[in-house]
Amino acid sequence: KELDKHRIVLVAGFQGIDRYGDVTTLGRGGSDTSAVALAVAAIPEALSSIVTIVLSFGIGLFIFLIYKKTYRGVMYSAGFGTTLIALTMITSIVILAVTSNVVLSLGMVGALSIVRFRTAIKEPMDIAFLFWAIAVGIVLGAGLLPLAIIGSVIIGIIIVVFSTRKIGDTPYILVVSCENEETENAAYELIKAEAKKSLLKSKAVNKLGIELTYEIRIKDDNTGFVNKVSACEGVTNAVLVSYNGEYMS
């Protein structure tokens, strides 16, 4: 307030208060600590907000690059990546507005409570990236800049390390169409011998024949045994599909 009135303020650099509110000395280096605290307090609010928004863009871009690098599909969603950047910036702006005014924060909570998201999230990791972007925006808006930067770097490194490691075998769905029960038994014995693991998920019987759906784990990712299954006498069709949790059994 005194600085806003263009008055010269003299501050004892080595003095402060303890947790009980009593005046005390800060000890060695107290003058430097006071100077840093005063410098931070003297930063204009507008400049602080600009720094927060710029950092939110930078960290949001970093999150997008990590998402692009660790995406396991053939083509990543550029729109989702842009959403991560925008979500980080929007969240930080909202938190800046909320922390500046208590009345505004109550109104903001009421306004956001009517928002509903109904878009299905197909990949579990997409949820992690969304929460990461939101959390960074909240932390930046709260003024904890080092926490946002250091935390994002650590999270990014962990995601990259674990995403590049192959954990377990890739599951597949094998659909086999057979003419009769004898063919079904022959196909089952071949699948059992060639696959590392196999589990019958469903069996459909009609006048045209029998359709079997197996969940399998392939040895050394060698899909050539499907040709052997298809070549079995009485097998009319054999389809192998990479299983990622989206197929219903």
Side-chain angles (χ1 to χ4, degrees):
K1 293 181 180 180
E2 298 299 326
L3 291 175
D4 292 336
K5 297 177 182 178
H6 303 287
R7 294 179 179 177
I8 299 175
V9 181
L10 299 179
V11 180
F14 57 89
Q15 290 183 350
I17 58 174
D18 57 18
R19 58 181 177 177
Y20 303 108
D22 299 327
V23 177
T24 183
T25 56
L26 298 179
R28 186 174 180 81
S31 300
D32 296 335
T33 303
S34 301
V36 173
L38 290 173
V40 172
I43 296 177
E45 185 176 351
L47 179 59
S48 177
S49 300
I50 293 174
V51 171
T52 299
I53 295 173
V54 171
L55 275 177
S56 65
F57 171 77
I59 299 179
L61 182 61
F62 173 74
I63 296 174
F64 165 67
L65 294 176
I66 295 295
Y67 167 75
K68 180 179 178 181
K69 181 176 179 60
T70 59
Y71 185 73
R72 295 187 177 182
V74 179
M75 297 180 63
Y76 69 92
S77 173
F80 183 78
T82 305
T83 301
L84 293 175
I85 300 176
L87 188 61
T88 307
M89 298 181 67
I90 293 171
T91 305
S92 65
I93 293 174
V94 171
I95 298 301
L96 284 174
V98 167
T99 54
S100 64
N101 191 304
V102 177
V103 178
L104 179 61
S105 66
L106 296 177
M108 191 75 70
V109 171
L112 294 177
S113 64
I114 65 175
V115 178
R116 296 292 183 272
F117 299 96
R118 301 189 183 276
T119 302
I121 302 296
K122 296 182 179 180
E123 292 289 339
M125 279 302 298
D126 290 354
I127 301 178
F129 280 102
L130 287 173
F131 273 102
W132 184 8
I134 294 173
V136 168
I138 293 174
V139 174
L140 287 174
L144 305 176
L145 307 185
L147 177 61
I149 297 173
I150 298 174
S152 294
V153 171
I154 294 175
I155 292 172
I157 293 174
I158 292 175
I159 292 178
V160 170
V161 169
F162 280 92
S163 64
T164 53
R165 288 189 175 185
K166 183 179 179 181
I167 303 176
D169 302 312
T170 303
Y172 291 89
I173 291 293
L174 176 63
V175 181
V176 182
S177 299
C178 306
E179 293 181 350
N180 49 50
E181 186 175 354
E182 183 179 350
T183 305
E184 174 189 349
N185 294 332
Y188 170 73
E189 292 299 330
L190 181 58
I191 293 172
K192 184 178 179 181
E194 294 289 340
K196 183 181 294 186
K197 292 182 180 179
S198 62
L199 176 65
L200 180 63
K201 301 292 290 185
S202 68
K203 177 179 178 180
V205 182
N206 53 43
K207 295 180 179 180
L208 300 177
I210 304 172
E211 184 179 88
L212 305 171
T213 302
Y214 289 92
E215 180 180 337
I216 64 174
R217 306 276 177 153
I218 301 176
K219 298 177 181 178
D220 301 324
D221 286 337
N222 182 13
T223 60
F225 84 97
V226 181
N227 300 332
K228 297 180 182 180
V229 176
S230 179
C232 289
E233 185 178 354
V235 175
T236 59
N237 191 32
V239 180
L240 184 67
V241 182
S242 178
Y243 177 68
N244 60 1
E246 297 179 11
Y247 298 94
M248 300 299 293
S249 58

